Amino acid sequence: MIEIEGKSVFNGVAIGPIAIFVKVDTQVRREAIEDPEAEIARYHEATETAKDQLQALYEKALKEVGEESAFLFQSHQLMLDDLDYVESVENIIRTQNTNAEYAVAQTGDNMAEIFAMMDDAYMKERAADVKDVTNRVIGVLSGSGSAGMRADVPSILLADDLAPSETVQLDKSLVLSFVTRYGSTNSHTAILARTMNIPALIGVDYPEDCEGKTAIVDGALGKIIIDPDEATLAAYQKKKEEEEKKAALLQELKGKDNVTKDGKKINIYANIGGVKDVASVLENDAGGIGLFRSEFLYLESDDFPSEEEQFQAYRKVAEMMGGKKVIIRTLDIGADKQVDYFELDKEENPALGYRAIRICLTRQEVFKTQLRAIYRASHYGTISVMFPMIISLDEVKKCKNMAELVRRELDSEGIPYGDVELGIMIETPAAVMISDELAKEVDFFSVGTNDLTQYTLAIDRQNPKLDDFYDAHHPAILKMLKMIVDNAHAGGAWAGICGELGADTTLTEEFLRMGFDELSVSPSMVLRVREQVRQTDLSAGG
């Protein structure tokens, strides 16, 4: 039994097999070769290795999940023998005198595109299979293996670290817990863990040879136990059952009002990263969506998502929420959220650099495309928009002008849209200090406490060495929050919190006393915050 200490990101207990996330350099480089036949032989050798890997996966899946699910790995083996596929690879190597990795990548891209264009739904789905098989062969050829989480059953995921672009591609149903060597308690992996309501640790120096072994993650104590003995395993199984009973009790709060004992009401909304998260929002009985992180549509795409693609996503969320408020944050990339096709320059200080609204105001076609999609979707529900990283009145006015331009365009085209509230995120000290003026220009404020804390305390929240200095309860932050809500109400706007601090139940009573109108939290925290609100009596002391 091995016990390794780390730093807790989210509480809870997870028990299951370990799966290690493997990072691979997926960029295939084209290289000239002198002996095409030798390169073809290398390609065939790689396919045989890939077949062996797939056969092993088939046999494992057959035992664990049954023949129907295991058949996928057999079909992937057959794809490697497909004559069109093989001949294409060989032809590219011979005619272009190029390396096998490039020939396989080109063939995979071409064949996947052919499948994707077919009308038959089943055949369309084969495009993903072709990509999977192709990546496996490239991994063998390059010696790096295939990337991602290698698991067929729900597992505890171990990784050096996970970028936002990697977390969005994970099959969330297979992740019981996140455990990383690096990262910080305020990273996007940490935020995802809280959204998924699963335990997570950072700073864990786990051994490389632990894949497949049974492990326990104790989020409360910040440790992972690998190969637990029977007594330890039994004790944690009992602890996990007790947690599940407590969670079941919270379910009794569904349908109840978010109101204190003395009658003070507050809206409790949920934060999401995409359409798939709406199920969790509804399951946890949130009153609306207070933060739709629209940048994940860009992170999941290989190119700029079109107006139609964005419209369909926003419309679906609006319809699924059945008229409840959905607040969409406009594109917020940059800093730790990098998207290759934006071709952003490397910056020494990305958190203080070209990001969020600064990109939108200088790449106006990207901005206008997103706003058109949002306004079109507003016809199908109750949608609001908020602009991130605001530091001046001038920026707000430019955003409002773009929104007005979009409305005029839609009117001229006869496209209907709803009444869209316009708000801003307060996440810079500059915005706090002029919040009295900003409130007169917008319908609402939503405080991004993660960045506001970072900028106020001069602490990079992605730097794990600074976690001990990062104090979201710092008196300066709390004074700023009070200033924000007072100025919002004085200027005719409402005020909410959408940062991680909104879910801190030790501050719920203070937020209520400050006068906040809304708290937006991870879906898994909605009922816990509701419980805290309902237990609070503002007439007693304070």
Side-chain angles (χ1 to χ4, degrees):
M1 184 168 81
I2 304 172
E3 192 169 310
I4 307 171
E5 298 290 331
K7 184 173 289 188
S8 176
V9 167
F10 195 66
N11 291 343
V13 172
I15 302 172
I18 288 173
I20 295 180
F21 186 91
V22 180
K23 289 180 181 281
V24 173
D25 181 5
T26 56
Q27 185 174 2
V28 175
R29 295 170 179 82
R30 180 173 182 169
E31 297 175 2
I33 50 102
E34 295 180 357
D35 188 346
E37 296 310 314
E39 196 68 9
I40 288 171
R42 191 169 78 90
Y43 156 65
H44 284 295
E45 185 179 343
T47 60
E48 291 305 314
T49 300
K51 286 179 196 175
D52 290 342
Q53 292 175 354
L54 290 164
Q55 181 61 26
L57 286 171
Y58 168 75
E59 291 170 2
K60 184 174 186 290
L62 193 62
K63 293 177 184 176
E64 297 176 353
V65 294
E67 186 173 358
E68 185 176 348
S69 297
F71 176 73
L72 170 69
F73 301 110
Q74 276 194 331
S75 67
H76 281 196
Q77 291 179 65
L78 293 173
M79 279 187 188
L80 289 172
D81 288 327
D82 180 84
L83 194 58
D84 290 334
Y85 190 99
V86 174
E87 287 181 347
S88 172
V89 173
E90 291 180 349
N91 182 60
I92 291 173
I93 292 173
R94 285 195 181 102
T95 60
Q96 299 183 33
N97 288 321
T98 191
N99 55 315
E101 289 89 341
Y102 177 80
V104 171
Q106 281 293 105
T107 296
D109 287 347
N110 293 340
M111 293 192 73
E113 187 175 350
I114 290 169
F115 278 117
M117 290 189 297
M118 292 182 179
D119 293 330
D120 183 78
Y122 174 81
M123 297 306 290
K124 277 181 180 287
E125 290 175 3
R126 300 288 69 75
D129 292 329
V130 171
K131 289 180 180 178
D132 194 6
V133 168
T134 297
N135 288 337
R136 181 175 294 278
V137 176
I138 291 171
V140 174
L141 284 165
S142 63
S144 57
S146 55
M149 177 183 178
R150 298 173 186 170
D152 309 307
V153 295
S155 304
I156 293 169
L157 181 60
L158 272 57
D160 282 349
D161 197 6
L162 291 167
S165 56
E166 291 168 335
T167 60
V168 297
Q169 295 176 54
L170 290 171
D171 182 346
K172 310 300 189 296
S173 67
L174 294 179
V175 182
L176 298 174
S177 171
F178 288 117
V179 178
T180 64
R181 278 202 174 94
Y182 311 112
S184 76
T185 53
N186 300 291
S187 68
H188 282 274
T189 305
I191 292 171
L192 178 62
R194 290 188 277 266
T195 300
M196 294 172 63
N197 195 29
I198 60 175
L201 309 176
I202 61 169
V204 176
D205 189 16
Y206 57 85
E208 294 290 349
D209 60 349
C210 61
E211 186 155 27
K213 294 180 179 179
T214 298
I216 299 167
V217 174
D218 187 329
L221 296 180
K223 65 182 180 181
I224 180 171
I225 303 168
I226 300 172
D227 269 344
D229 57 37
E230 290 185 10
T232 302
L233 187 59
Y236 270 99
Q237 285 172 335
K238 183 177 180 181
K239 185 176 181 179
K240 191 170 185 295
E241 289 170 5
E242 290 171 353
E243 285 188 349
E244 289 168 353
K245 287 179 183 177
K246 290 179 183 177
L249 287 174
L250 281 177
Q251 299 302 304
E252 295 178 7
L253 290 173
K254 287 183 178 179
K256 302 287 180 66
D257 289 333
N258 307 310
V259 59
T260 63
K261 289 181 178 180
D262 57 315
K264 168 77 173 178
K265 289 187 177 182
I266 191 169
N267 289 318
I268 302 178
Y269 293 169
N271 301 333
I272 68 169
V275 177
K276 292 179 182 178
D277 294 337
V278 176
S280 185
V281 173
L282 297 174
E283 182 183 346
N284 287 283
D285 197 34
I289 292 172
L291 170 61
F292 183 161
R293 299 182 178 95
S294 68
E295 61 270 14
F296 283 90
L297 291 172
Y298 295 78
L299 286 164
E300 291 172 335
S301 179
D302 294 329
D303 201 352
F304 293 96
S306 67
E307 177 184 324
E308 188 63 25
E309 288 170 331
Q310 293 188 65
F311 162 67
Q312 293 296 342
Y314 304 145
R315 172 181 173 172
K316 189 169 186 179
V317 171
E319 289 178 336
M320 290 171 74
M321 290 303 294
K324 293 180 179 178
K325 190 186 292 290
V326 176
I327 302 175
I328 300 173
R329 177 175 70 188
T330 57
L331 177 63
D332 184 11
I333 63 164
D336 62 320
K337 289 174 285 188
Q338 294 293 318
V339 181
D340 289 344
Y341 54 84
F342 271 80
E343 298 181 344
L344 301 179
D345 294 333
K346 182 175 175 58
E347 296 178 302
E348 290 299 321
N349 249 322
L352 303 178
Y354 186 53
R355 58 175 297 197
I357 203 64
R358 298 165 184 176
I359 293 175
C360 290
L361 290 177
T362 52
R363 299 193 183 184
Q364 296 196 4
E365 281 307 307
V366 174
F367 193 25
K368 188 169 79 168
T369 296
Q370 180 171 36
L371 286 179
R372 280 181 59 92
I374 292 172
Y375 268 96
R376 287 174 57 196
S378 69
H379 180 64
Y380 301 91
T382 305
I383 287 180
S384 302
V385 176
M386 63 180 175
F387 306 109
M389 280 292 292
I390 294 296
I391 64 168
S392 69
L393 272 172
D394 183 57
E395 288 173 344
V396 174
K397 290 177 180 178
K398 286 178 179 177
C399 291
K400 290 175 70 176
N401 288 341
M402 180 61 79
E404 173 61 24
L405 173 63
V406 165
R407 289 193 296 269
R408 288 202 305 267
E409 281 189 2
L410 294 176
D411 286 339
S412 68
E413 296 167 25
I415 297 175
Y417 56 88
D419 184 13
V420 177
E421 277 189 329
L422 297 179
I424 59 172
M425 290 192 71
I426 304 290
E427 47 193 336
T428 66
V432 175
M433 298 311 295
I434 61 168
S435 54
D436 55 339
E437 300 174 55
L438 294 172
K440 299 170 186 175
E441 293 289 332
V442 297
D443 298 305
F444 66 93
F445 290 161
S446 188
V447 186
T449 53
N450 305 352
D451 271 335
L452 181 59
T453 304
Q454 169 175 244
Y455 296 133
T456 302
L457 303 184
I459 283 179
D460 178 0
R461 64 187 178 97
Q462 301 297 327
N463 187 340
K465 292 180 180 178
L466 301 177
D467 280 349
D468 291 340
F469 298 93
Y470 186 95
D471 178 14
H473 291 211
H474 194 289
I477 304 300
L478 299 180
K479 286 182 179 180
M480 283 183 168
L481 291 174
K482 178 60 174 167
M483 182 187 297
I484 291 165
V485 72
D486 286 347
N487 284 339
H489 291 163
W494 61 264
I497 296 175
C498 66
E500 292 297 301
L501 201 61
D504 187 338
T505 54
T506 66
L507 289 175
T508 302
E509 180 175 337
E510 189 153 0
F511 293 150
L512 287 162
R513 290 189 184 280
M514 286 180 182
F516 276 99
D517 305 288
E518 174 248 18
L519 299 173
S520 190
V521 300
S522 298
S524 61
M525 289 299 296
V526 168
L527 295 178
R528 296 187 200 185
V529 176
R530 177 176 296 168
E531 179 184 45
Q532 189 64 38
V533 169
R534 292 175 63 84
Q535 291 175 354
T536 299
D537 186 350
L538 298 176
S539 65

